């Protein structure tokens, strides 16, 4: 699903890929949210939302963009959530797919990241599989 990115490959080209990946995820989220919202509502799962959620060390901020993707502990995910009963457990959202996570490391040059691998995975299919899992539970 994702590939490890060593510190030596963290550069402006990678940043461009992350920005494009997150933008693609946002577009897919809007399309699939519209496609599935009536099906979710018919099951009592109101207000389906699919979006790219960004946080740094677990703290979501409204003004956080992919431009900050190389800050330590930056993470972006496609998140699916709705009002109504969900899985039991510790998860904050009903379902998510990690797009990018940057671990800055404790020492200079020791960081790495994980990036969703679009060349070997179909993000749209994965989101739809997540939606179907949520519909069947």
């Amino acid at each position: 699903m994702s590939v490890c990115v060593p510190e030596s490959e963290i550069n402006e080209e990678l940043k461009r890929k992350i920005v494009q990946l997150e933008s693609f995820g946002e577009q897919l989220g809007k399309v699939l949210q519209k496609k599935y919202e009536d099906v979710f509502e018919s099951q009592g799962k109101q207000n389906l939302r699919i979006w790219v959620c960004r946080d740094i060390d677990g703290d979501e901020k409204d003004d956080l963009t992919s431009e900050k993707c190389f800050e330590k502990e930056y993470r972006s995910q496609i998140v699916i959530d709705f009002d109504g009963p969900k899985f039991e457990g510790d998860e904050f959202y009903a379902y998510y797919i990690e797009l990018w996570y940057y671990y800055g490391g404790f020492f200079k040059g020791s960081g790495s990241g994980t990036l969703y691998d679009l060349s070997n995975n179909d993000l749209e299919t994965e989101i739809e599989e997540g939606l179907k899992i949520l519909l069947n539970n």
Side-chain angles (χ1 to χ4, degrees):
M1 181 188 292
S2 60
V3 294
C4 184
V5 180
E7 183 76 27
S8 62
E9 294 178 22
I10 295 178
N11 56 36
E12 287 303 310
E13 175 62 23
L14 176 63
K15 186 175 192 174
R16 188 184 62 74
K17 288 180 184 179
I18 293 165
V19 169
Q20 288 177 337
L21 174 62
E22 290 182 7
S23 177
F24 179 58
E26 287 171 341
Q27 292 169 8
L28 281 176
K30 289 176 185 174
V31 170
L32 294 173
Q33 180 175 314
K34 185 174 263 190
K35 178 178 176 181
Y36 281 86
E37 64 190 352
D38 290 339
V39 180
F40 269 73
E41 285 183 17
S42 72
Q43 289 193 7
K45 299 172 180 177
Q46 305 297 314
N47 299 316
L48 174 66
R49 296 175 306 280
I50 305 171
W51 75 100
V52 172
C53 177
R54 297 172 181 93
D55 68 71
I56 294 180
D57 198 24
D59 296 328
E60 291 179 38
K61 299 174 186 172
D62 292 335
D63 63 342
L64 190 58
T65 68
S66 52
E67 290 300 315
K68 305 237 179 186
C69 64
F70 293 153
E71 284 194 32
K72 287 184 177 186
E73 306 298 325
Y74 175 96
R75 174 178 58 181
S76 61
Q77 308 167 330
I78 294 283
V79 173
I80 303 170
D81 206 13
F82 54 88
D83 298 338
K86 300 177 184 88
F87 296 126
E88 292 183 29
D90 295 332
E91 298 302 326
F92 190 71
Y93 298 115
Y95 194 87
Y96 67 91
I97 299 167
E98 192 163 289
L99 298 177
W100 166 248
Y101 174 71
Y102 178 61
Y103 171 72
F106 293 109
F107 305 105
K108 186 169 177 65
S110 67
S112 64
T114 55
L115 181 67
Y116 184 86
D117 185 3
L118 274 176
S119 63
N120 292 313
N121 300 286
D122 185 334
L123 186 56
E124 182 174 4
T125 299
E126 265 193 72
I127 296 170
E128 287 199 276
E129 286 172 0
L131 290 162
K132 291 173 185 171
I133 288 169
L134 295 173
L135 285 168
N136 291 323
N137 288 313

